């Protein structure tokens, strides 16, 4: 089998690292920008009859990165690649997975339809906000949960941790994190105003964290408001230190400042999105393992 990995402009080190792990040849996509903001991609190898793995994350500017991904896939289809797999470490638009307000688009579904139309036959992504939208993808879809790698790194720095999920949606992640760290866990109950987008804590657990280093875990940090609220809560219940570990460090403008203000001493994340001033772990190894797994099993990894 001839597998070739091609990295898009938003693939970072995951492209070459994955190619090494799969013992595949690696190419970087050629991209030419036009003065009006449009661009064209060129696949720099003969893809005919090859199993091609595209690596392209879809962090900001999300739309350009998504367009680049589907352009590469379409070019590969035209070149008669034998198979096209898309490794999308951060898959954008997954939070809008239902119609929260009348008239809204269900963006996560539309993204799946786009991927289907572009000729991608298999999708591998890392910790999507929810698994359900992946069901609309027509081919095999795997999601990687890099919690072992992330917590493995966190555990090196903490002696007396306690895991806190900022909302009920993060409970499964918190349970796994606590198991790996060998400590207790609890969760907050958060609700988000669907008009303003601002979250607030609805119900608080009874636990105290006296003398503990609280690890707030989440799938992503976007504006930082969720982690800020959780950090303030942890300190109000006696935590000596608060750190946060999230798979995707989206870190929209102002997020870093909010975390600092709320006393978060360290931010841990993965390289699905480039991030500064954070402790970053590489997820390429976990992605590579998905290629050795049978369909349906890697979702639980
Ligand atoms: C939402 O349910 C997610 O799991 C995150 O908690 C959320 O996206 C974080 O957003 P922000 O950093 O803007 O509060």
């Amino acid at each position: 089998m001839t597998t070739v990995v091609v990295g898009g402009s938003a693939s970072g080190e995951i492209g070459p690292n994955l190619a090494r792990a799969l013992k595949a040849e690696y190419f970087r996509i050629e991209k030419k920008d036009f003065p009006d903001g449009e661009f064209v991609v060129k696949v720099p190898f003969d893809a005919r009859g090859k199993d091609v793995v595209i690596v392209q994350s879809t962090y900001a500017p999300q739309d350009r990165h998504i367009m680049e991904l589907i352009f590469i896939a379409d070019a590969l289809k035209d070149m008669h690649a034998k198979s096209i797999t898309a490794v999308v470490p951060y898959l954008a638009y997954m939070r809008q997975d239902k119609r929260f307000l009348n008239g809204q688009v269900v963006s996560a579904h539309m993204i799946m339809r786009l991927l289907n139309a572009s000729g991608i036959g298999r999708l591998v992504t890392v910790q999507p906000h929810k698994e359900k939208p992946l069901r609309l993808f027509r081919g095999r879809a795997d999601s990687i949960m890099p919690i072992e790698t992330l917590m493995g790194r966190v555990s090196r720095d903490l002696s007396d941790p306690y895991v806190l999920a900022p909302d009920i949606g993060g409970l499964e992640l918190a349970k796994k994190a606590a198991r790996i760290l060998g400590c207790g866990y609890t969760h907050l109950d958060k609700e988000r105003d669907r008009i303003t987008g601002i979250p607030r804590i609805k119900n608080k657990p009874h636990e105290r964290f006296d003398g503990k280093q609280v690890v707030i875990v989440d799938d992503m940090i976007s504006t930082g408001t969720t982690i800020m609220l959780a950090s303030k809560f942890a300190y109000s219940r006696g935590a000596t230190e608060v750190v946060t570990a999230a798979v995707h460090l989206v870190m929209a403008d102002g997020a870093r400042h909010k975390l600092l203000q709320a006393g978060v001493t360290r931010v841990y994340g993965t390289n699905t999105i480039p991030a500064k001033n954070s402790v970053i772990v590489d997820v390429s190894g976990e992605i590579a393992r998905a290629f050795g797994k049978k369909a349906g099993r890697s979702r639980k990894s």
Side-chain angles (χ1 to χ4, degrees):
M1 183 175 82
T2 317
T3 301
V4 179
V5 175
V6 58
S9 66
S11 55
E13 60 185 7
I14 296 179
N17 289 355
L18 180 64
R20 247 190 314 279
L22 297 179
K23 296 190 175 25
E25 209 176 344
Y26 176 73
F27 292 89
R28 176 103 178 161
I29 197 73
E30 288 176 14
K31 181 167 171 271
K32 181 174 183 287
D33 290 304
F34 295 112
D36 61 358
E38 294 183 0
F39 64 92
V40 66
V41 296
K42 180 176 177 296
V43 175
F45 56 89
D46 180 9
R48 179 178 288 272
K50 299 204 169 103
D51 293 301
V52 184
V53 178
I54 309 168
V55 181
Q56 171 78 339
S57 208
T58 57
Y59 51 81
Q62 294 87 340
D63 306 348
R64 287 184 72 80
H65 290 150
I66 290 167
M67 286 310 288
E68 186 180 327
L69 169 65
I70 62 178
F71 283 170
I72 300 170
D74 198 63
L76 288 168
K77 194 168 60 175
D78 285 349
M79 294 170 89
H80 301 284
K82 186 172 156 217
S83 70
I84 305 171
T85 297
V87 171
V88 189
Y90 171 67
L91 187 53
Y93 289 113
M94 290 299 108
R95 280 174 289 176
Q96 181 72 18
D97 60 345
K98 57 182 162 201
R99 208 177 313 283
F100 296 101
L101 297 173
N102 278 340
Q104 283 185 334
V105 62
V106 184
S107 318
H109 294 178
M110 187 58 220
I111 293 292
M112 290 303 144
R113 287 196 283 270
L114 259 182
L115 298 180
N116 284 332
S118 69
I120 294 168
R122 182 180 173 193
L123 173 66
V124 180
T125 189
V126 180
Q127 194 96 37
H129 181 62
K130 295 246 174 72
E131 295 275 331
K132 210 169 156 203
L134 300 189
R135 292 190 204 150
L136 289 184
F137 183 70
R138 279 201 222 106
R140 172 179 169 183
D142 296 280
S143 59
I144 314 295
M145 309 296 171
I147 192 71
E148 296 260 356
T149 307
L150 194 53
M151 287 304 126
R153 179 63 191 83
V154 171
S155 68
R156 281 161 48 187
D157 298 332
L158 305 184
S159 52
D160 196 3
Y162 198 97
V163 173
L164 175 65
D167 53 36
I168 191 98
L171 188 55
E172 278 311 304
L173 204 58
K175 270 187 202 167
K176 286 182 186 149
R179 201 185 57 232
I180 297 161
L181 295 175
C183 67
Y185 67 91
T186 189
H187 72 91
L188 294 169
D189 204 355
K190 177 185 89 177
E191 73 175 357
R192 199 179 279 277
D193 183 314
R194 287 293 160 195
I195 310 277
T196 64
I198 297 173
R200 72 173 191 94
I201 298 175
K202 214 165 55 173
N203 295 310
K204 296 172 180 171
H206 63 272
E207 277 94 341
R208 290 198 56 86
F209 310 115
D210 298 285
K212 300 279 178 198
Q213 296 161 302
V214 171
V215 186
I216 306 170
V217 295
D218 210 346
D219 60 336
M220 68 170 74
I221 304 174
S222 182
T223 64
T225 310
T226 299
I227 302 297
M228 178 189 76
L229 293 173
S231 177
K232 286 183 175 168
F233 168 76
Y235 280 118
S236 76
R237 292 287 176 87
T240 50
E241 184 184 6
V242 175
V243 302
T244 185
V247 176
H248 306 294
L249 299 182
V250 175
M251 302 305 255
D253 275 353
R256 177 81 44 192
H257 182 70
K258 276 187 210 156
L259 300 189
L260 278 173
Q261 291 287 307
V264 174
T265 58
R266 258 189 314 280
V267 178
Y268 297 85
T270 76
N271 59 351
T272 60
I273 300 177
K276 293 187 191 127
N277 305 320
S278 311
V279 183
I280 298 298
V281 298
D282 180 17
V283 292
S284 312
E286 306 217 28
I287 292 174
R289 279 198 284 284
F291 283 80
K293 288 183 177 172
K294 291 205 177 87
R297 288 185 49 210
S298 46
R299 281 176 189 237
K300 297 191 186 94
S301 66

